[in-house]
Amino acid sequence: MAHWLLKSEPSSYSWDQLVADGRTNWNGVRNAQALNNLRAMKLGERAFFYHSNEGKEIVGVVEVVRTFYPDAADKSGKLGMVDVKPVMPAAVRVGLPAMKANPELAGLSLLKQSRLSVCPVSENEWSTLCRMSGIAA
DNA sequence: GCCAACGTTGGC
DNA sequence: GCCAACGTTGGC
């Protein structure tokens, strides 16, 4: 199974908000590459939840509970979303400096393409990040 | 189809 | 608040 990382500014949608909601639709993605990543997500696949701008750290893990479907509000028909639910919070929040300092994460697309809001995470990167965050993979 | 101008994201 | 890195738009 593939793994992912979803970015959100806590001021617009935070981990706490997701936990309170129990589930949410991950809409508002406009970037073509990010949309492609959303399309590639399968049911039950997991993603890290990362707070951009404020905190700049991994705060938890989410799971895909509905695969990609079109955004009814988008007339171009290109935009869409997946639904996710929280799985567990990070025991240790992993900040950007910690990720940059770890050579095993040198290829992490979060670090290489800072503007990509939905990025893939390789299996090695996933287990490294699980270890760092105290999340049981 | 190229490229300059502009807009957006996100780290610092 | 600034700026780098991109993506997008629009004139040619």
Side-chain angles (χ1 to χ4, degrees), chain A residues 3-121:
Chain A
H3 289 104
W4 311 93
L5 185 144
L6 297 175
K7 282 203 283 198
S8 178
E9 295 189 35
S11 58
S12 71
Y13 196 82
S14 68
W15 170 259
D16 287 344
Q17 187 63 49
L18 175 62
V19 171
D21 291 347
R23 163 179 184 146
T24 194
N25 47 335
W26 202 263
N27 59 8
V29 175
R30 290 166 158 256
N31 177 280
Q33 207 178 336
L35 282 167
N36 281 338
N37 289 334
L38 283 184
R39 275 195 200 91
M41 288 184 186
K42 297 184 182 127
L43 211 58
E45 286 186 339
R46 293 187 168 185
F48 288 115
F49 192 114
Y50 173 83
H51 279 171
S52 62
N53 277 315
E54 285 172 61
K56 283 165 284 191
E57 56 194 3
I58 288 174
V59 292
V61 171
V62 301
E63 184 173 307
V64 178
V65 291
R66 182 176 175 187
T67 53
F68 189 88
Y69 58 102
D71 186 341
D74 167 46
K75 287 172 187 152
S76 76
K78 288 178 184 171
L79 304 185
M81 66 197 95
V82 299
D83 289 358
V84 297
K85 68 168 187 189
V87 176
M88 64 184 104
V92 180
R93 294 188 165 194
V94 182
L96 257 197
M99 292 190 245
K100 286 184 176 171
N102 190 330
E104 292 178 66
L105 300 176
L108 194 67
S109 50
L110 174 71
L111 303 179
K112 305 189 101 179
Q113 284 176 271
S114 65
R115 290 186 58 209
L116 187 59
S117 63
V118 182
C119 15
V121 175

